[in-house]
Amino acid sequence: MTPTNIPRFFWISLSFCMIVATLGLLGIAWQSTSISIEIANAKINLSKAISEVRQIKNELETEQERLMEEKRALNDLLNNLEKVSATSSETEELLKSYLSDKRTPWPTVLEKQRFNQLDHQLLNLEKTLNIK
């Protein structure tokens, strides 16, 4: 069989099949691009959430150390108050010395809004990862 003996319908159907295959491959490539973008976004969100959790952990550790120092100082004050007689002038002096020894002011408490934002980011990340 020579190419001239092949019916025209064969060439038309072959061209149509090639166009459909090309469109199919383009669709697959487009879908894989969007999936990789979603995975990249999930990784970025995960790294943001991890860094935020680490920062909060560090702040909580600092706050715990400050509270432990404050607890020790209050225990010392309580012990001194128990040892001293109940005169108001000595008690007043001990309280004034305790308050004057405070080196740092009370830090601002972490806002609840920050924890809510972190929860929102983690939920979005979980949704993104569960879709896959």
Side-chain angles (χ1 to χ4, degrees):
M1 227 198 255
T2 61
T4 55
N5 292 338
I6 298 174
R8 188 170 196 186
F9 176 75
F10 172 77
W11 296 114
I12 292 173
S13 58
L14 180 65
S15 297
F16 179 74
C17 289
M18 290 179 72
I19 290 173
V20 169
T22 303
L23 290 176
L25 288 174
L26 282 174
I28 291 170
W30 181 75
Q31 286 292 337
S32 66
T33 302
S34 65
I35 289 172
S36 64
I37 290 173
E38 288 175 9
I39 290 173
N41 286 339
K43 287 181 181 179
I44 290 170
N45 289 338
L46 182 60
S47 65
K48 282 182 187 177
I50 288 172
S51 66
E52 186 83 14
V53 167
R54 284 183 181 154
Q55 184 178 4
I56 289 172
K57 178 186 168 271
N58 290 337
E59 290 174 3
L60 288 174
E61 285 176 348
T62 305
E63 182 68 13
Q64 181 186 15
E65 290 172 8
R66 189 192 64 76
L67 288 173
M68 293 299 288
E69 289 176 17
E70 193 68 29
K71 179 184 173 186
R72 281 187 223 108
L74 284 173
N75 282 334
D76 292 342
L77 176 65
L78 181 62
N79 290 336
N80 289 338
L81 287 174
E82 288 173 349
K83 290 177 185 175
V84 174
S85 62
T87 62
S88 63
S89 62
E90 291 174 342
T91 304
E92 188 176 326
E93 280 183 35
L94 282 173
L95 288 174
K96 283 182 182 178
S97 69
Y98 169 75
L99 293 175
S100 66
D101 285 346
K102 290 190 71 59
R103 293 176 214 115
T104 57
W106 290 93
T108 57
V109 178
L110 292 175
E111 295 178 7
K112 191 168 186 168
Q113 179 184 6
R114 186 169 179 197
F115 291 114
N116 290 339
Q117 288 173 350
L118 181 62
D119 285 339
H120 182 67
Q121 287 177 346
L122 291 173
L123 286 174
N124 286 341
L125 182 63
E126 286 178 357
K127 286 179 186 176
T128 305
L129 293 176
N130 287 336
I131 290 174
K132 305 291 181 257

